Amino acid sequence: MAKNKLMSIDEALDLINNGDEIAIGGMSFHRNPMLMAINIARSNKRDLGLVDREPGLAFDLLTISGRIRRIRAAMVTFEHFGIAPGFRRMVENGEVEFVEDVCEGVMAGLRAGAYGLPFMPSAIALESDLVSLNVKRGIWKIIKDPFNEQELIAVKAIRPDVALVHAHRADERGDIEIYGPKYEDLLKIQAAKKVIITTEEIVSEDYFREHPDRLTIPGFIITAVVHSPKGAWPTSMYGYYKADYDAIKKYFDSVKAGLSIEKVLGVFAHG
């Protein structure tokens, strides 16, 4: 009999260790695992790392929470608001270590991690100033194509300790359904050592037996499932609710004003 992976938010938080590197699902203002991010921000976790290609609200909230020591990302923006405010503040003040990457670099690293490979070749431009920086950091390396001797970048595998992803439906076994845009979530789930799913709905095991085409990721890959209706708010959840741009604007203004994390978290008190 398959293990029941349903647990409370506090039990899921216990799966995250100090110093862990976390990959956050969704993108920008869409399908972020906000409930988990808010609870991590309120916890006593420390020295965490974040890695993402195009992160959004949950990433930015955690960046200013005091729980994060290092971040690796390609583009950290807030759509029409501009650069993510917490990210900008923390990096400019030197309060977090920032490893600047490119979209292709993060994607290649996640693909390698998901496929169980030590690295993935990529088409990153060799002329970029980031090449020497990330070669020095040990996450990129210049190699030669064995077929034509052309130089290219190999990106070291990204294997996050934990992936946090918000799904539409899940059962007790951890089988999940995500519909609409998947972004890099499937790669993050497959690359991560642990996967915590928050979900809008809990369905019976019969749901996926009757609708096998709706299974996005099988349960044996998933570590924990937390029932979290509106768990992506104020970001959107495709097919369920739209992004709450009024709440996002309040967050943006609160962070820009330099308010404390306790007051910033108050933005999410009535979601």
Side-chain angles (χ1 to χ4, degrees):
M1 185 175 179
K3 179 182 177 182
N4 185 332
K5 298 182 179 180
L6 275 177
M7 59 180 66
S8 68
I9 194 83
D10 289 337
E11 290 171 322
L13 277 172
D14 286 342
L15 296 171
I16 301 173
N17 299 311
N18 293 333
D20 275 355
E21 182 177 61
I22 300 173
I24 296 178
M27 185 185 76
S28 186
F29 300 147
H30 311 290
R31 202 167 44 73
N32 285 207
M34 289 302 302
L35 184 66
M36 278 300 303
I38 291 165
N39 277 273
I40 293 171
R42 289 174 172 156
S43 75
N44 60 0
K45 305 293 181 185
R46 63 180 187 274
D47 297 330
L48 300 174
L50 298 174
V51 58
D52 209 336
R53 181 189 66 83
E54 186 179 351
L57 181 58
F59 188 102
D60 198 64
L61 172 63
L62 286 176
T63 300
I64 63 166
S65 69
R67 309 299 162 205
I68 306 302
R69 183 170 60 85
R70 64 197 179 280
I71 54 180
R72 175 179 175 181
M75 50 187 295
V76 190
T77 64
F78 256 38
E79 294 185 358
H80 58 283
F81 295 106
I83 296 175
F87 162 80
R88 181 170 195 160
R89 187 176 85 192
M90 298 297 282
V91 172
E92 288 182 349
N93 292 342
E95 295 181 64
V96 294
E97 175 190 349
F98 176 44
V99 175
E100 185 177 358
D101 211 317
V102 296
C103 292
E104 170 63 20
V106 176
M107 292 291 292
L110 286 171
R111 286 191 182 104
Y115 303 159
L117 299 173
F119 66 89
M120 182 67 66
S122 74
I124 295 169
L126 291 167
E127 297 80 11
S128 170
D129 290 340
L130 287 177
V131 173
S132 60
L133 289 172
N134 286 333
V135 166
K136 187 176 180 180
R137 289 177 176 129
I139 60 174
W140 294 1
K141 190 174 181 64
I142 299 173
I143 63 172
K144 286 191 175 182
D145 184 328
F147 297 100
N148 60 20
E149 297 297 308
Q150 179 181 347
E151 286 190 333
L152 70 163
I153 301 296
V155 180
K156 186 177 180 180
I158 297 174
R159 295 191 175 95
D161 296 294
V162 184
L164 308 177
V165 175
H166 192 62
H168 290 80
R169 297 185 179 97
D171 65 17
E172 294 180 351
R173 296 154 48 101
D175 301 318
I176 69 168
E177 176 184 15
I178 299 173
Y179 53 90
K182 308 294 192 299
Y183 312 112
E184 292 83 48
D185 288 7
L186 305 189
L187 291 176
K188 292 170 183 175
I189 287 170
Q190 293 176 77
K193 298 167 188 172
K194 298 176 186 174
V195 182
I196 299 172
I197 297 294
T198 54
T199 183
E200 293 288 328
E201 296 182 50
I202 298 295
V203 296
S204 71
E205 293 180 18
D206 290 337
Y207 177 81
F208 290 109
R209 294 193 186 104
E210 294 167 2
H211 306 285
D213 56 307
R214 298 180 185 177
L215 178 64
T216 304
I217 290 288
F220 70 86
I221 298 176
I222 306 303
T223 311
V225 174
V226 180
H227 187 205
S228 310
K230 291 204 74 176
W233 181 87
T235 67
S236 72
M237 189 64 180
Y238 179 81
Y240 283 62
Y241 44 88
K242 295 180 180 180
D244 185 341
Y245 281 93
D246 289 339
I248 292 168
K249 178 66 162 55
K250 288 178 182 176
Y251 169 86
F252 183 85
D253 290 343
S254 298
V255 176
K256 288 276 285 184
L259 299 186
S260 67
I261 183 61
E262 291 78 14
K263 290 183 178 179
V264 171
L265 285 168
V267 171
F268 309 111
H270 305 293

